[in-house]
Amino acid sequence: MMSSPPAKPSATSPGSRLRLSEALETLSVSSLLSGDLDDDGDGGRGEDEEGLGDLEVNPYDGLPFSSRYYALLEERQQFPIWRLRQSLLESLESHNMVLLSAPSGAGKSTQVPQWCVEYALSYEFSQGLVCCSQPCSVAAVSLALRVADEMDLSLGLEVGYRVSHDDGCTPDTLLRFVSDTLLLEEMMSDPLLHQYGVVVLDELQERTVPTDVLLGLLCDVCRQRPDNFRVVLLTHPTLAPRLATFLGPSVPHLSLDSLLSDPPTRSQEEGGEVEEGSKALKVNRVETLYRELSSGKEPVSAACHMVLDLHRRGEEGDVMVFMASAQEIEECVSILEKECVALSPQLGPLRILPLHAGLGELTQRVYGSDPEASSLRENDSSECVDGSVLGAGGPRVKRKVILTDSLAEASFSLPDIRYVIDTGLQLKTVYNPQIRANSQVLRTISKHQADMRTQRVNSHLPGLCLRLYSQSVYDDAMREAHCPGVVEENLSHLVLLLKRLDIADMGQCKFLDRPAPEALMQALEDLDYLAALDDDGNLSEVGIIMSELPLEPPLAKALIAACEYDCVDELLTIAAMLTAPSCFMTAEPSREEAAVTHWRPLMHTEGDHMTLINIYKAYMEHNQDEAWCTTNFLNHAALRLAVVIRAELLAVMQRIELPVSPPAFGCQDNCTNIKRALISGFFLKVAHDVDGSGNYLLLTHRHVAHLHPFSSYLCRQPCPDPPSWVLYHEFTISRDNCIRIASDVHPQM
């Protein structure tokens, strides 16, 4: 492949297609590194080399480059990361693992995978495909879209993505952006990842459980495939020193910061891209201001007022606001919509864009133009997602306001961000293995996260970061780095996967931070209770089947038990509905009663699990109609995803030849069998009404909880007495301490 495509187009000669195949056969890594193919060649390498100088076709699909390709190429070469391009290719030639660190916005997530494709398909290393893993699915999809555009290729052909319940790849896709969860699951069937020549592990500083585990596993793969496998680790500089120590001196560390601090060599001084790269880093001058909130002042309202104040100043530049959670983002959207009505028309329009993982494909609107956003808002108002332009003005958008959470700390680099407003908070779900329950914790971010948020400023004008907390909070109350996922999450599914990989002892897996021993013990206990382990601690036959199902272990066990109770069809629906996001829309307080009125006909007398089946069946009977969902305050995107998940689960069960019973929903015996199957997986999630008034004692950890206000037991009319015993799907220690998705059960079951 070409190390760098032609800088400008030239006329297509009749024999260019023939010369292409000849050129690819003689191309090597040394030619990639030498830069001889960048322009017209060196003139002394023979007739074939002169032909390469005129090459204007895309080497990946054989079609001529478009004019947009050359425009994007100029933008790409301005990225600071281009300073490391040659060093990376040289390191890949002699090392099977490379660590590269660069700040957010330097271009590493889009450029490095493209260089790895060039390397993987070169003459000296013609090995397999390139895979780039991302901690967040929406980031993987966004990167695939951008990189396909930059490479002048079609998304889904040469460049694709693969995330949970959405596969945008073909068998011949050269570059695949995948979620770290799916890459880890892929290693179950192919532990050495034979189909890949290069794996790029991106955003290591996010410290998700799959990424941390992949880091250790890929080190082992490199040792077993030393000649035809390469791994590139990409991280923010904050984690780089620790990673370098963890990996040892044999793994080269390429750092953008070190290049900028070293005096440039003569060749660097003469290279235009180096000059441009250094300018790109130095131009972002950012002033940081601390504004401690007064007592009783909510971060949401404070952030909204700060946005409006900045807009009233009338200065150029977009705004990015970091909130604690998706719920706060939507609250901020609602407040700004109302406040902007009173803005002076002379200020120009204000475009408000939420950005969080729950939006799925709608996250792409942050890159869109004004008319596109307006139509999107009109079409998707039922999903409580805004892409609106507020205030009077011309057709051009004057200012964007991006309302986001931790998702945008490293992903979704946007141009023209001049102002960053940081609330300094995040809502985290932390698992407590002692009580087997999650807790929603609102806490301060880490110093590394605060610094990364500041670096989101990306403007040619002087930037400003407004931190809605005091400097003493930054200096004294914030920890250096945020807690890794292996310390705070339920590890049962991870242990199941590692057992499937024949890693019987968790000590064999190399972790950057080791999981807490009590968390590992609790995970092993839970798997043992579910009959997933044999007497020797290895996976039993049931455990092997559970590992094939893309579900949490209790739900997988319930689905397997459904084969015995002849209710597989119904359990498939329940599993899909529980895996997808909630199908109930969050209505405004003034419309909650209207929402309940529409939900009431769908509620089942046997409990919330049966209600989910009713909703799914009604959705399918109405031909998956979005208007029907809107009328009934139901989330169309969640229900559409449930349809996809159900089809995937059915395909897995058919592949592993499990019996699938025909539908029988509606009769009493069927409902009883459904509950028996659910108890097989969720026997640890049973609660008893201690006083007959709905105060439920959770048997595993003696907490008292209440049914969710929208449970069928509280919304049906006439309202029935609360059941004495319930099986529930989820309990989170939060302000309301509610158990969600509950159905009545009996001890005799």
Side-chain angles (χ1 to χ4, degrees), residues 307-316 347 398-399 418-419 464 466:
V307 168
L308 296 172
D309 288 343
L310 288 172
H311 189 54
R312 290 188 183 101
R313 290 168 59 178
E315 297 181 4
E316 180 183 347
L347 291 175
K398 181 176 182 181
R399 192 191 308 280
R418 186 181 181 187
Y419 304 103
L464 178 65
L466 294 164

Tab-separated table of all heavy atoms in Angstrom, residues 307-316 347 398-399 418-419 464 466:
chain	number	residue	atom	x	y	z
A	307	VAL	N	-23.890	28.946	30.264
A	307	VAL	CA	-24.024	28.871	28.800
A	307	VAL	C	-24.678	30.136	28.267
A	307	VAL	O	-24.210	30.747	27.282
A	307	VAL	CB	-24.835	27.625	28.393
A	307	VAL	CG1	-25.219	27.693	26.912
A	307	VAL	CG2	-24.045	26.357	28.658
A	308	LEU	N	-25.761	30.555	28.888
A	308	LEU	CA	-26.475	31.742	28.426
A	308	LEU	C	-25.630	32.998	28.579
A	308	LEU	O	-25.649	33.883	27.716
A	308	LEU	CB	-27.788	31.882	29.198
A	308	LEU	CG	-28.799	30.747	28.973
A	308	LEU	CD1	-29.986	30.886	29.928
A	308	LEU	CD2	-29.283	30.720	27.534
A	309	ASP	N	-24.871	33.088	29.660
A	309	ASP	CA	-23.985	34.246	29.845
A	309	ASP	C	-22.926	34.312	28.751
A	309	ASP	O	-22.632	35.390	28.211
A	309	ASP	CB	-23.314	34.186	31.218
A	309	ASP	CG	-24.283	34.485	32.350
A	309	ASP	OD1	-25.364	35.038	32.066
A	309	ASP	OD2	-23.972	34.159	33.511
A	310	LEU	N	-22.349	33.145	28.427
A	310	LEU	CA	-21.346	33.114	27.359
A	310	LEU	C	-21.963	33.512	26.026
A	310	LEU	O	-21.348	34.229	25.226
A	310	LEU	CB	-20.735	31.709	27.260
A	310	LEU	CG	-19.781	31.284	28.374
A	310	LEU	CD1	-19.423	29.806	28.237
A	310	LEU	CD2	-18.505	32.133	28.344
A	311	HIS	N	-23.178	33.052	25.788
A	311	HIS	CA	-23.833	33.375	24.511
A	311	HIS	C	-24.141	34.867	24.418
A	311	HIS	O	-24.027	35.461	23.338
A	311	HIS	CB	-25.113	32.555	24.377
A	311	HIS	CG	-25.745	32.649	23.020
A	311	HIS	ND1	-25.063	32.367	21.853
A	311	HIS	CD2	-27.004	33.009	22.635
A	311	HIS	CE1	-25.861	32.544	20.819
A	311	HIS	NE2	-27.047	32.940	21.266
A	312	ARG	N	-24.528	35.466	25.529
A	312	ARG	CA	-24.848	36.896	25.516
A	312	ARG	C	-23.622	37.753	25.259
A	312	ARG	O	-23.748	38.888	24.796
A	312	ARG	CB	-25.488	37.289	26.854
A	312	ARG	CG	-26.903	36.730	27.052
A	312	ARG	CD	-27.558	37.310	28.286
A	312	ARG	NE	-28.880	36.724	28.516
A	312	ARG	CZ	-29.119	35.776	29.416
A	312	ARG	NH1	-28.128	35.328	30.179
A	312	ARG	NH2	-30.337	35.290	29.554
A	313	ARG	N	-22.441	37.224	25.540
A	313	ARG	CA	-21.222	37.988	25.263
A	313	ARG	C	-20.999	38.164	23.768
A	313	ARG	O	-20.279	39.068	23.345
A	313	ARG	CB	-20.008	37.283	25.887
A	313	ARG	CG	-20.003	37.350	27.412
A	313	ARG	CD	-18.973	36.416	28.017
A	313	ARG	NE	-17.622	36.709	27.571
A	313	ARG	CZ	-16.537	36.051	27.992
A	313	ARG	NH1	-16.681	35.051	28.845
A	313	ARG	NH2	-15.346	36.374	27.555
A	314	GLY	N	-21.594	37.272	22.974
A	314	GLY	CA	-21.554	37.431	21.528
A	314	GLY	C	-20.243	37.067	20.876
A	314	GLY	O	-20.033	37.355	19.699
A	315	GLU	N	-19.342	36.417	21.602
A	315	GLU	CA	-18.046	36.057	21.028
A	315	GLU	C	-18.125	34.700	20.338
A	315	GLU	O	-18.917	33.834	20.712
A	315	GLU	CB	-16.980	36.030	22.132
A	315	GLU	CG	-16.756	37.387	22.781
A	315	GLU	CD	-15.687	37.338	23.849
A	315	GLU	OE1	-15.072	36.259	24.016
A	315	GLU	OE2	-15.464	38.369	24.516
A	316	GLU	N	-17.286	34.546	19.345
A	316	GLU	CA	-17.285	33.336	18.522
A	316	GLU	C	-16.844	32.124	19.337
A	316	GLU	O	-16.039	32.235	20.253
A	316	GLU	CB	-16.338	33.552	17.339
A	316	GLU	CG	-16.247	32.370	16.388
A	316	GLU	CD	-15.231	32.617	15.286
A	316	GLU	OE1	-14.807	33.775	15.130
A	316	GLU	OE2	-14.860	31.644	14.609
A	347	LEU	N	-28.568	38.109	18.971
A	347	LEU	CA	-27.494	37.220	19.421
A	347	LEU	C	-27.253	36.071	18.454
A	347	LEU	O	-26.216	35.428	18.500
A	347	LEU	CB	-27.837	36.651	20.803
A	347	LEU	CG	-27.826	37.643	21.962
A	347	LEU	CD1	-28.303	36.966	23.230
A	347	LEU	CD2	-26.429	38.206	22.152
A	398	LYS	N	-24.862	29.791	14.513
A	398	LYS	CA	-23.788	30.597	15.073
A	398	LYS	C	-23.025	29.847	16.155
A	398	LYS	O	-21.815	29.935	16.230
A	398	LYS	CB	-24.344	31.895	15.653
A	398	LYS	CG	-23.244	32.790	16.231
A	398	LYS	CD	-23.778	34.111	16.710
A	398	LYS	CE	-22.633	34.971	17.236
A	398	LYS	NZ	-23.101	36.269	17.733
A	399	ARG	N	-23.744	29.138	17.018
A	399	ARG	CA	-23.067	28.498	18.130
A	399	ARG	C	-23.709	27.152	18.448
A	399	ARG	O	-24.920	27.021	18.514
A	399	ARG	CB	-23.142	29.388	19.372
A	399	ARG	CG	-22.202	28.931	20.497
A	399	ARG	CD	-22.496	29.675	21.787
A	399	ARG	NE	-22.511	31.106	21.636
A	399	ARG	CZ	-21.431	31.885	21.600
A	399	ARG	NH1	-20.245	31.330	21.696
A	399	ARG	NH2	-21.547	33.196	21.469
A	418	ARG	N	-14.602	26.311	21.917
A	418	ARG	CA	-13.805	27.351	22.558
A	418	ARG	C	-14.022	27.396	24.066
A	418	ARG	O	-13.118	27.788	24.810
A	418	ARG	CB	-14.143	28.717	21.946
A	418	ARG	CG	-13.257	29.832	22.470
A	418	ARG	CD	-13.627	31.167	21.856
A	418	ARG	NE	-12.754	32.223	22.349
A	418	ARG	CZ	-12.918	33.515	22.098
A	418	ARG	NH1	-13.914	33.916	21.319
A	418	ARG	NH2	-12.088	34.406	22.591
A	419	TYR	N	-15.215	27.002	24.500
A	419	TYR	CA	-15.543	27.080	25.920
A	419	TYR	C	-15.907	25.687	26.438
A	419	TYR	O	-16.683	24.957	25.810
A	419	TYR	CB	-16.735	28.016	26.157
A	419	TYR	CG	-16.529	29.412	25.611
A	419	TYR	CD1	-17.146	29.807	24.426
A	419	TYR	CD2	-15.715	30.334	26.274
A	419	TYR	CE1	-16.968	31.080	23.915
A	419	TYR	CE2	-15.526	31.609	25.775
A	419	TYR	CZ	-16.153	31.976	24.589
A	419	TYR	OH	-15.956	33.236	24.086
A	464	LEU	N	-11.389	28.880	27.016
A	464	LEU	CA	-11.706	29.096	28.422
A	464	LEU	C	-12.373	27.844	28.973
A	464	LEU	O	-13.324	27.325	28.389
A	464	LEU	CB	-12.645	30.296	28.573
A	464	LEU	CG	-13.121	30.628	29.991
A	464	LEU	CD1	-11.949	31.063	30.868
A	464	LEU	CD2	-14.189	31.725	29.950
A	466	LEU	N	-14.317	26.676	32.332
A	466	LEU	CA	-14.963	27.127	33.562
A	466	LEU	C	-15.279	25.901	34.409
A	466	LEU	O	-16.113	25.066	34.036
A	466	LEU	CB	-16.246	27.892	33.237
A	466	LEU	CG	-16.048	29.223	32.501
A	466	LEU	CD1	-17.355	29.693	31.901
A	466	LEU	CD2	-15.497	30.277	33.443
